[in-house]
Amino acid sequence: MGILDLVMESKLFLIGMILLSMITVMAVFADFIAPYDPIAQDFSPKLPPSPEHPLGTDELGRDVFSRLIYGSRITLYVAFVSVSIACLIGIPIGLVAGYYGGAVDKILNFAIDLMLSFPAIILTILITGMLGPSLTNAMIAISIAFAPRIARIVRGQVLSVKEEDYVVAVKAMGASGAYTMARHVLPNSIAPLLVQVTLSLGTAVLVESALAFLGLSAQPPTPSWGDMLNRGRRYIYTAPWMITAPGIMITLAVLAFNLIGDGLRDLLDPRLRRL
Amino acid sequence: MENKVVEVEDLKVYYERGGGLLSKPMYIKAVDGVSFSISRGEVLGLVGESGSGKTSVGKAIAGIVRPTSGKISVLGRDIINLSRGEARRLRPKIQMIFQNPFSSLDPRMRVRDIIVEPLKIAGIKDIDFRVKAAELLEMVGLSEEHLDRFPHQFSGGQRQRIAIARALSTNPELIIADEPTSALDVSIQAQILNLLKELRDKLDLTMLFISHDIGVIRYIADRVAVMYAGKIVELGNKRDVIDEPLHPYTESLLEAVPVPHPSKRRKETIIPGEPPDPINPPSGCRFHPRCPHALDICRTVEPKLIYMDNSRMVACHLYQD
Amino acid sequence: MSRLLEVRDLKTYFFLRKGVVKAVDGVSFDLDKGEALGIVGESGSGKTVTALSIMRLVPYPGRIVDGEIKFKGRDLLSLSEDEMRKIRGKEISMIFQDPHNSLNPVYNVGWQVGEAIELHTEGKPIWSRILDKVISILRGVGIPKVEERIYDYPHQFSGGQKQRIMIGMSVSNNPDLIIADEPTTALDVTIQAQIIDLLKELRHRYGSSIMLITHNMGLVAELCDRIAVMYSGKVVEYGDINRIFEEPLHPYTQLLLECIPRTDRDVDRLMSIPGEPPDPISPPRGCRFHPRCPYAKDWCRRDDIYVYRDNDHMVSCELYR
């Protein structure tokens, strides 16, 4: 019974992977797939979908389909980079808090609680508001908002793993804290973290789109789904394709990450694997 | 003394429970004044029921929990207050074998790395780790082909062999075995006990063997210490203690063990009640509420662990005057 | 004595993705009224699944695929789920291994014992009468100060007391058969002795039959009249307790008895059974013990292993052909 068989069994996980691969292919090969320049205002505004423009054009005469394809770049880029940064901040904090416990843990945990008492979206709006609207600042904001979530997951996992006999055994051998954490605690905390990171990627897509919708992320004319949504909103009755297309894409991207996350949770669950 | 490997003096291990801004913490007195020593090449069996503090004694010596007070010395060196460098040198000389072989091996490491990890932590570099690991595996009855596997590919008994190999890697002065066979089936338990016995003869190991099973202790140990509610109540050569127990607790403990033969059914003289609350142990002798021979003095005065002859010690008012 | 339970050629398989686990594979035994039967085996031998099969509580993906379970003359396997529910807890009750998980933490114990009675009360339950019964039952299993304690919650009781409460629940409807699945494994020896004595006493008071499932030969010797030794889903030896302990015939039974470390005598070297229990998905052909058996011959691999019968004694082994 290989891991591959299990993957095949988990249909939803497969669907998630296929969706994500499609979006990734779109992002990587945008130059070849997109029929037109996403920024060029070459066409009549608000053309309805037609063979030349499968998803019509927007109010400035740009091809919606091409913008959609290029928009996937921003979305994936922001999601992956900001969640990675969040991990780089959150993992060490969670490790230290969980492993050492005591006063260190109390302080770090309080900080985490404080950060988590703001909804991610409010926190990111606050931060981009302070730093000024730009793609970089949006990523910084998302990283800061997500780091405590990662830290919390890691801390919880470390709290349980550090009680395992193999960690106790290593301590009894006289190993240092850093060694024990890096060699034993962290590798055994990865599985649930992986699930959380995947789900975070989905949320990050959502938050980025929201920021773009509010004009706080990538600035025009860069194509981004959130920004397209915002523009489409004004013409929802006259050019509904403008808002429908990016809306569907955002939903699909979030769905892809969530399906993969849920699938991973099942795959990594040893109770299920034993069957 | 030269040939004493471990000396424990008035060891106390208390665990803090609860307590916050407004409430005082309570102390669980897991080990409350325990003294004993183990000579070179000797196996001391530490027997007791759950909550008696036997595991905490092992953990304190292994450096996993910090004693509340008392002295532990290994080869004459105090090991409670070690500098970092000393700890690096001395700690690997004390190895522990845990009860549950399913949680004592890191599931993400290969056997070859698990076995020699104590050497790596001790900072040893100039040996061929693979050869060393293979040697150790051989010693515990596994073979070289197992080197590259992960723990989950082994049965409980085999994992315990791996744990033993790891414990042997540093040529330890002392091995603390904490219920090493109680998670295993009897047929496998016998294999592991025989292995430990062979290794002990071959390598002249010194061991603290912790178990709730008096049969196991009788098989593997030379001397036995009986613990009850954080204290040693009786200590002596295993045959003396097990065949002719002096302390009423030792006696009832032995009576309670079912002998696998229907002709040896227990007499119906079991001790009533349950072990005391470790936060508020009874005054005087901690066993007095359950003791069939309790005297008035037992309720108020704590009996001291005294020598009955040159090898036997017991803490009971019936034997003190 | 009249027959209470007849199990014939019971087969319970688990259908897993990686294959079929024949957890119970052709098990037969009888139990008379008022008798105590011990089912002994190591982990994975199928003893618990046998018990669950009798209760018809085999968890998914397991299924009883063949055999007959006759209880008081009725075939349990042909009953509807509704009829079976009336039997569970009333005519056959079960005590589980872990008393800590067997009681619901959110209800007080009096309510829970009352519930067990109420479930099998015909017509409208009269609570004052049930309450009286709860008190008398809990007093009967040795819970002190019952009138106050019935309002306490499970966490306020020790492990031993919880097991007493579980036993109280199991006898509350005067069952004909009590199945006790490792009832003392989670408990200390002194508490174990108390629980075993309680079971003995209740057996005499209520005249219930007991089916004790355990890995501990000592407990069987202590409590049972008959014993069935299981190995890898099959009963390898079955018969009178005195006879089997005096002169075990099956090599597995012999070795199993020899590998228990005894408290009452010294042994130089414990017998151990080499190897490990077989993979339950592809067990060895013929006698499943033959790869570990010191007397194994070529013909032990045959499919029709010889069954030697002498009155009530049964051994499945080629040595006696």
Side-chain angles (χ1 to χ4, degrees), chain C residues 219-236:
Chain C
L219 289 184
V220 175
E222 195 71 43
L223 185 72
C224 297
D225 310 308
R226 261 201 275 192
I227 171 174
V229 181
M230 286 190 73
Y231 185 80
S232 185
K234 291 184 180 289
V235 174
V236 294

Side-chain angles (χ1 to χ4, degrees), chain C residues 259-279:
Chain C
C259 66
I260 303 168
R262 299 280 291 252
T263 53
D264 57 341
R265 60 169 184 241
D266 283 315
V267 260
D268 205 35
R269 198 185 148 79
L270 273 182
M271 283 298 236
S272 67
I273 308 178
E276 308 261 345
D279 173 12

Side-chain angles (χ1 to χ4, degrees), chain A residues 260-272:
Chain A
I260 295 171
D262 281 342
L264 275 178
R265 186 183 343 239
D266 292 348
L267 288 176
L268 297 170
D269 186 343
R271 272 169 305 174
L272 282 169

Side-chain angles (χ1 to χ4, degrees), chain B residues 48-51 155-158 185-191 193-194 197-198 212-216 218-219 238-239 242-243 249 252-254 256-275 290, chain C residues 41-43 158-161 164 188-194 196-197 200 215-225 241-242 245-246 256-257 259-277 292:
Chain B
E49 299 183 273
S50 50
S155 67
Q158 288 172 320
D185 275 322
V186 267
S187 69
I188 309 298
Q189 160 169 289
Q191 292 177 9
L193 289 177
N194 284 337
K197 218 171 177 182
E198 275 162 31
H212 69 282
D213 187 328
I214 303 173
V216 169
R218 177 171 198 137
Y219 183 60
K238 66 172 171 192
R239 273 181 211 99
I242 296 173
D243 289 336
Y249 174 66
S252 6
L253 188 65
L254 276 156
V257 179
V259 175
H261 203 287
S263 66
K264 295 189 176 172
R265 290 198 175 168
R266 274 182 300 108
K267 296 158 261 156
E268 312 258 335
T269 53
I270 48 161
I271 45 168
E274 316 220 347
R290 304 173 74 190
Chain C
E42 299 182 89
S43 43
S158 69
Q161 285 174 323
R164 283 174 189 273
D188 278 320
V189 264
T190 54
I191 310 301
Q192 164 172 285
Q194 295 172 3
I196 290 296
D197 283 355
K200 277 185 190 169
H215 66 282
N216 188 332
M217 280 288 200
L219 289 184
V220 175
E222 195 71 43
L223 185 72
C224 297
D225 310 308
I241 186 97
N242 292 304
F245 276 89
E246 205 54 59
L256 199 58
L257 282 168
C259 66
I260 303 168
R262 299 280 291 252
T263 53
D264 57 341
R265 60 169 184 241
D266 283 315
V267 260
D268 205 35
R269 198 185 148 79
L270 273 182
M271 283 298 236
S272 67
I273 308 178
E276 308 261 345
R292 303 174 75 188

Side-chain angles (χ1 to χ4, degrees), chain C residues 81-320:
Chain C
E81 182 53 34
D82 260 359
E83 291 170 305
M84 195 62 216
R85 211 165 26 230
K86 287 193 189 116
I87 289 180
R88 278 184 216 131
K90 181 158 175 64
E91 293 174 55
I92 308 178
S93 62
M94 194 156 175
I95 305 165
F96 295 92
Q97 171 172 352
D98 192 352
H100 302 283
N101 292 331
S102 310
L103 287 165
N104 188 335
V106 303
Y107 296 111
N108 67 45
V109 301
W111 191 90
Q112 290 188 63
V113 178
E115 185 191 28
I117 299 168
E118 191 242 311
L119 278 175
H120 292 286
T121 308
E122 300 287 329
K124 208 172 166 352
I126 302 160
W127 275 101
S128 62
R129 202 172 291 166
I130 289 178
L131 190 69
D132 287 344
K133 195 163 178 203
V134 168
I135 290 173
S136 82
I137 282 168
L138 289 180
R139 193 176 286 136
V141 293
I143 301 289
K145 294 186 220 148
V146 183
E147 285 84 352
E148 301 158 32
R149 297 229 66 187
I150 51 170
Y151 301 106
D152 284 347
Y153 288 83
H155 72 267
Q156 290 163 295
F157 292 86
S158 69
Q161 285 174 323
K162 275 187 233 177
Q163 199 59 306
R164 283 174 189 273
I165 295 165
M166 289 307 299
I167 291 172
M169 278 167 83
S170 76
V171 297
S172 58
N173 296 304
N174 289 336
D176 299 285
L177 173 62
I178 301 169
I179 300 177
D181 185 4
E182 303 268 12
T184 61
T185 307
L187 307 173
D188 278 320
V189 264
T190 54
I191 310 301
Q192 164 172 285
Q194 295 172 3
I195 295 294
I196 290 296
D197 283 355
L198 176 65
L199 282 174
K200 277 185 190 169
E201 188 200 320
L202 292 176
R203 183 184 157 200
H204 289 124
R205 197 190 306 164
Y206 294 95
S208 308
S209 302
I210 291 180
M211 193 167 136
L212 176 70
I213 290 161
T214 180
H215 66 282
N216 188 332
M217 280 288 200
L219 289 184
V220 175
E222 195 71 43
L223 185 72
C224 297
D225 310 308
R226 261 201 275 192
I227 171 174
V229 181
M230 286 190 73
Y231 185 80
S232 185
K234 291 184 180 289
V235 174
V236 294
E237 186 161 6
Y238 168 71
D240 177 71
I241 186 97
N242 292 304
R243 196 162 160 195
I244 287 187
F245 276 89
E246 205 54 59
E247 195 193 344
L249 293 181
H250 198 282
Y252 177 64
T253 318
Q254 292 168 1
L255 287 168
L256 199 58
L257 282 168
E258 288 295 319
C259 66
I260 303 168
R262 299 280 291 252
T263 53
D264 57 341
R265 60 169 184 241
D266 283 315
V267 260
D268 205 35
R269 198 185 148 79
L270 273 182
M271 283 298 236
S272 67
I273 308 178
E276 308 261 345
D279 173 12
I281 289 178
S282 50
R285 278 195 65 181
C287 170
R288 295 191 177 173
F289 187 59
H290 84 257
R292 303 174 75 188
C293 181
Y295 311 112
K297 295 279 185 305
D298 275 349
W299 49 81
C300 293
R301 242 164 276 174
R302 280 196 299 218
D303 280 329
D304 54 329
I305 288 300
Y306 184 70
V307 179
Y308 167 85
R309 280 178 211 282
D310 170 16
N311 293 324
D312 269 352
H313 200 119
M314 186 284 281
V315 187
S316 152
C317 180
E318 284 293 322
L319 281 176
Y320 304 98

Side-chain angles (χ1 to χ4, degrees), chain B residues 166-184:
Chain B
R166 171 175 68 183
L168 293 174
S169 64
T170 55
N171 297 322
E173 296 288 346
L174 173 70
I175 290 183
I176 299 164
D178 184 10
E179 303 261 16
T181 62
S182 53
L184 306 173

